[in-house]
Amino acid sequence: MPQLSSGGGDDLGANDEMIAFKDEGEQEEKIQENAFTERDLADLKSSLVNESEINQSPNAVRRGHQGEQRGFPEKHREHLDGVSKQQDGGMYKTPGYPGYPFLMLPDPYLPNSSPSSNKVSVVQQSHGMHPLSSLLPYGNEHFSPSPPHLPTDMSQKTGVHRHQSQDLSGYYSLPPGGVSQISPSMSWFPHSLMLGPSSMHPTGIPHPAIVPPTGKQEHEQYDRGMYAKPQVEAKREKEPKKPVIKKPLNAFMLYMKEMRAKVIAECTLKESAAINQILGRRWHALTREEQAKYYELARKERQLHMQLYPTWSARDNYKCRARFGLNQQTDWCGPCRCVPNIHLHPLHSIALLLSSKLISASI
DNA sequence: GGGCCTTTGAAGAGA
DNA sequence: TCTCTTCAAAGGCCC
């Protein structure tokens, strides 16, 4: 794991990453036993990738059939084969690689960028900004595997409520009275009431994770009449659409965001399914150090997200909640049993539901 | 217009 | 603790 490589300087939680890297560490131990070098490790990965391509998994076969049925690209498969034969190792070996190339990527998270605008990825690279670039200070600095001093429990959650880092202000200069100042009694408040009209966090910091309710999910929140009362549904439709807080991107997603344009340029592919297959192989072909950059960024992304939306849960964006027309903050989802964005006794939930409806009525 | 495909990783819930 | 499910991005394709 990258943190381990820094001499154990990272005590920042991210257990998931630790597990992932632990696996690689075990792999490395085996490699070391066989007197492998780091280069050999990369070769090993590449060979494994190639082997996986040769020995198509049942899944891959199924996908292939699906692809044929759906017209999924024989030509794309050719592209895939072609790309797989290319040297993957060149990605980070370009002279101009600044360390965090995707810091220059466009940003769907930018306040003025819409999800649709985000789709012009090829030409955005030189003008856009990384989601974190406006908030994180690392710019073009060399990657430091040793993360800043942050509480060890940053990535942990007690229930839905998250711990808030005091040190994140180093990353995101939260103004006094920012989200960290929100009292616990306010933490259950719906984001729509907290965020205001334009994806702007109360802190004044626009965050990428907030997207206008124009995506897939929000419309699904309003099209399930069979589970909700028509009156409620009608009322809901009249209400202004609430912004959706998206999940923070993981390491691979950040990698894809950066490399997608390059793959598209290299193989003239546009279908994301095919591109993602290529990117998946390249991801496995990356060295530990290369992957560590993205794990580190993803960790920071999660921290930022956690800091800005302490009460947010990944469950909030589950389609089931939207499908059944449930309030993300207060309603209990019977069909799938997922919980609202608060951990309270159901009776408290009912009280909050009533109070929230009173509030919305008064508004 | 909306869902599917395709990838990896994170998070949450249930067994 | 392990397994399963869902979502995050992307854009072409299909119904």
Side-chain angles (χ1 to χ4, degrees):
Chain A
M1 89 178 259
Q3 289 85 357
L4 291 178
S5 65
S6 65
D10 181 20
D11 56 350
L12 204 66
N15 295 330
D16 42 357
E17 295 162 19
M18 295 178 69
I19 292 171
F21 281 110
K22 179 185 176 185
D23 291 339
E24 290 200 7
E26 292 172 353
Q27 185 182 19
E28 186 180 41
E29 288 177 4
K30 294 176 183 176
I31 292 171
Q32 286 175 344
E33 288 174 2
N34 294 306
F36 274 17
T37 64
E38 190 68 32
R39 187 61 256 171
D40 292 330
L41 174 61
D43 293 340
L44 174 64
K45 287 183 176 180
S46 297
S47 64
L48 289 175
V49 169
N50 293 333
E51 184 179 351
S52 68
E53 292 173 358
I54 295 171
N55 302 325
Q56 292 287 331
S57 65
N59 243 2
V61 172
R62 182 180 58 83
R63 292 178 198 136
H65 283 296
Q66 285 182 343
E68 289 173 10
Q69 289 172 353
R70 297 175 46 82
F72 190 75
E74 262 323 295
K75 65 171 184 177
H76 289 176
R77 303 237 245 144
E78 293 171 5
H79 277 296
L80 288 175
D81 293 339
V83 170
S84 67
K85 292 171 185 171
Q86 295 178 3
Q87 179 53 261
D88 287 327
M91 283 184 295
Y92 290 98
K93 297 179 177 59
T94 53
Y97 179 61
Y100 284 108
F102 51 85
L103 290 177
M104 301 299 291
L105 280 176
D107 195 345
Y109 293 87
L110 283 176
N112 295 330
S113 68
S114 66
S116 58
S117 66
N118 181 40
K119 295 186 176 183
V120 195
S121 55
V122 176
V123 293
Q124 291 168 333
Q125 202 153 7
S126 58
H127 301 295
M129 296 173 64
H130 184 266
L132 300 175
S133 61
S134 60
L135 301 169
L136 298 177
Y138 35 77
N140 285 342
E141 296 172 1
H142 290 297
F143 171 73
S144 170
S146 180
H149 37 287
L150 289 172
T152 56
D153 59 348
M154 262 312 295
S155 62
Q156 296 175 356
K157 293 170 64 177
T158 53
V160 170
H161 295 286
R162 305 178 183 194
H163 294 288
Q164 293 175 4
S165 167
Q166 283 94 23
D167 288 338
L168 265 178
S169 56
Y171 286 106
Y172 329 114
S173 52
L174 294 174
V179 65
S180 59
Q181 303 297 321
I182 298 174
S183 67
S185 61
M186 286 289 291
S187 62
W188 64 272
F189 231 68
H191 284 93
S192 58
L193 296 177
M194 295 170 58
L195 295 173
S198 63
S199 302
M200 186 67 75
H201 191 270
T203 61
I205 301 174
H207 189 261
I210 305 178
V211 297
T214 55
K216 282 197 270 188
Q217 294 175 358
E218 51 81 28
H219 47 68
E220 290 171 356
Q221 295 180 11
Y222 303 92
D223 68 347
R224 44 325 278 175
M226 57 183 297
Y227 298 101
K229 295 179 181 178
Q231 293 177 347
V232 174
E233 193 66 23
K235 181 181 178 181
R236 206 180 293 273
E237 287 177 357
K238 291 179 181 177
E239 294 175 355
K241 309 260 176 158
K242 300 172 182 176
V244 177
I245 300 174
K246 310 288 276 186
K247 285 178 66 175
L249 302 187
N250 62 38
F252 179 68
M253 288 295 152
L254 291 171
Y255 172 74
M256 283 209 309
K257 225 169 167 51
E258 178 193 350
M259 286 298 169
R260 172 175 298 278
K262 187 166 188 172
V263 171
I264 290 174
E266 284 179 0
C267 52
T268 66
L269 279 174
K270 286 191 176 180
E271 281 201 29
S272 290
I275 293 168
N276 292 347
Q277 284 187 351
I278 296 170
L279 289 171
R281 289 187 209 150
R282 289 191 174 189
W283 174 254
H284 286 297
L286 291 181
T287 65
R288 287 174 54 203
E289 288 74 19
E290 289 168 338
Q291 287 187 349
K293 300 171 189 172
Y294 298 96
Y295 282 116
E296 180 72 8
L297 272 172
R299 185 177 56 80
K300 289 175 179 174
E301 175 94 356
R302 288 197 305 275
Q303 289 173 355
L304 169 65
H305 198 278
M306 208 181 303
Q307 178 73 13
L308 293 180
Y309 320 113
T311 62
W312 180 88
S313 167
R315 263 291 199 246
D316 294 351
N317 291 358
Y318 278 23
K319 288 180 180 177
C320 58
R321 303 195 63 75
R323 185 179 308 127
F324 302 123
L326 300 176
N327 184 300
Q328 294 185 352
Q329 298 291 326
T330 58
D331 294 352
W332 293 81
C333 181
C336 75
R337 291 174 293 174
C338 65
V339 297
N341 198 16
I342 51 174
H343 273 182
L344 291 174
H345 187 278
L347 290 178
H348 293 170
S349 177
I350 292 172
L352 290 176
L353 175 62
L354 292 174
S355 62
S356 66
K357 290 189 180 304
L358 288 175
I359 291 170
S360 61
S362 65
I363 294 175

